[in-house]
Amino acid sequence: MKTKTPAPVTVIGLGLMGRALAAAFLEAGHPTTVWNRTPAKAGQLVRDGAQLAPSIGEALKADALTVLCVTDYPVLYELLGEYEAELDGVMLVNLTSGSSDQAREAARWAEERGARYLDGAIMAIPPAIGTADAVILHSGPQGDFAAYEPVLGALGTVTYLGADHGLASLYDAAGLTMMWSVLNAWLQGTALLRSAGVDAVTYAPFAQQIAVGVAAWLPGYAEQIDKGAFPADVSALETDARAMEHLIEESEAAGVNAELPRLLKEMADRAIAAGHGGEQYPVLIEEFGKPRKA
Ligand code: NAP
């Protein structure tokens, strides 16, 4: 993926992901400076044209976009803390995973030292970096994202979410709950069917069809949530709750784990007890939107 702007970039952190990021910048023609605690990991990148900086202080340059990708935020402070004076005027894009509060705090910390700061979340594995399949989310000042979007575009499909620096991490977390919830639901069904001798490969296409069908409901349900009105045009929550009871019974009768359907039923029962039994499923947002009652 070639970008038109061969702006200089610096990549700090050359683990599995950092090396992929630096390689994508090189591939797109950007003059690329790299730094890593273990310099040997820069070997291939240097052979491909990267410049290995002897220290972070020398890697940080006011005219280069600096991408940070290390294990976690404490490592980031440990590394940059030694070079606070060199941060003045530097554009940082932090692609290290962390929480939304860590991102907001890092933005404050960097901005107090004169740096500009965008946070980011990589929703891809290293081999996808540099292709359109690598979705990378960004949040922070819109002007900074707009200025560096052509450079960041060398890494994959880059998306801007908003000025709140925590948004990239929050979207990342929201994506993870979607991924694990779909996988767990599929595993529950697979366990049920295996008890009757149906193998996982036979069930998978059927499960895929259901997941795609349910995904199509999301925009309409989202409108109900945003309006705060949940007319039961398709089915009422109390009807769903009866089906949940059936799923618990099936699971127990088949001798498979019933924890997941019990959790679903507990939440639905609480919403029904609060008077929402005649409303549609997304009314459960009220249960998800608060800590669980003791
Ligand atoms: P990794 O291979 O374990 O690399 C970790 C990086 O952090 C290395 O550059 C390592 O330096 C550096 N580091 C750790 N502790 C350090 C310390 N005390 N001082 C200096 N440097 C230190 O991890 P990764 O897979 O590249 O992941 C990096 C970030 O990307 C993480 O936040 C991860 O969650 C995120 N991410 C990764 C993936 C993925 O599929 N790999 C996907 C999405 C997001 P050394 O080389 O010297 O050890």
Side-chain angles (χ1 to χ4, degrees):
M1 186 185 297
K2 298 269 179 202
T3 64
K4 286 182 190 149
T5 326
V9 296
T10 290
V11 178
I12 293 178
L14 300 176
L16 288 167
M17 186 52 85
R19 290 202 297 280
L21 299 173
F25 281 133
L26 281 171
E27 172 65 21
H30 294 279
T32 304
T33 300
V34 293
W35 181 88
N36 196 49
R37 174 181 63 176
T38 309
K41 290 189 186 171
Q44 187 58 48
L45 293 165
V46 169
R47 284 190 287 282
D48 292 341
Q51 196 187 345
L52 179 62
S55 72
I56 291 183
E58 283 159 89
L60 292 168
K61 298 171 190 162
D63 66 340
L65 173 74
T66 296
V67 171
L68 307 159
C69 189
V70 290
T71 304
D72 54 24
Y73 281 69
V75 168
L76 199 76
Y77 290 115
E78 188 185 321
L79 295 180
L80 296 185
E82 269 192 63
Y83 297 95
E84 293 188 20
E86 282 83 351
L87 288 173
D88 194 20
V90 170
M91 179 71 228
L92 300 174
V93 177
N94 182 19
L95 299 182
T96 301
S97 302
S99 72
S100 54
D101 275 347
Q102 284 179 317
R104 294 182 188 113
E105 178 53 35
R108 263 194 301 276
W109 184 89
E111 285 165 4
E112 278 167 13
R113 285 151 186 83
R116 285 178 291 150
Y117 182 96
L118 285 167
D119 205 84
I122 303 173
M123 306 187 79
I125 52 172
I129 298 298
T131 75
D133 289 341
V135 172
I136 307 183
L137 308 175
H138 296 274
S139 49
Q142 184 161 22
D144 287 333
F145 178 76
Y148 289 97
E149 186 178 3
V151 184
L152 292 168
L155 302 179
T157 303
V158 292
T159 304
Y160 177 72
L161 301 168
D164 172 357
H165 285 97
L167 282 176
S169 295
L170 275 181
Y171 268 74
D172 192 23
L176 291 173
T177 186
M178 178 64 90
M179 178 182 81
W180 287 318
S181 297
V182 171
L183 288 174
N184 283 345
W186 169 64
L187 290 169
Q188 175 79 35
T190 300
L192 260 179
L193 284 162
R194 272 159 55 102
S195 75
V198 179
D199 60 23
V201 167
T202 303
Y203 174 54
F206 188 84
Q208 193 176 17
Q209 203 177 8
I210 296 171
V212 169
V214 172
W217 303 348
L218 301 185
Y221 277 9
E223 279 181 27
Q224 290 200 336
I225 291 173
D226 286 346
K227 286 181 188 152
F230 307 94
D233 347 284
V234 179
S235 88
L237 183 60
E238 56 203 8
T239 307
D240 286 296
R242 279 192 290 276
M244 288 170 184
E245 187 59 46
H246 173 68
L247 174 57
I248 294 169
E249 286 165 12
E250 277 287 15
S251 300
E252 286 172 347
V256 307
N257 193 303
E259 284 170 283
L260 179 62
R262 271 201 210 98
L263 173 67
L264 302 176
K265 177 95 178 4
E266 268 176 39
M267 293 192 92
D269 284 347
R270 285 203 298 272
I272 292 167
H276 298 297
E279 294 172 83
Q280 199 145 267
Y281 201 81
V283 73
L284 280 180
I285 190 65
E286 293 178 17
E287 291 300 316
F288 279 96
K290 60 191 179 193
R292 190 191 190 295
K293 279 188 194 142

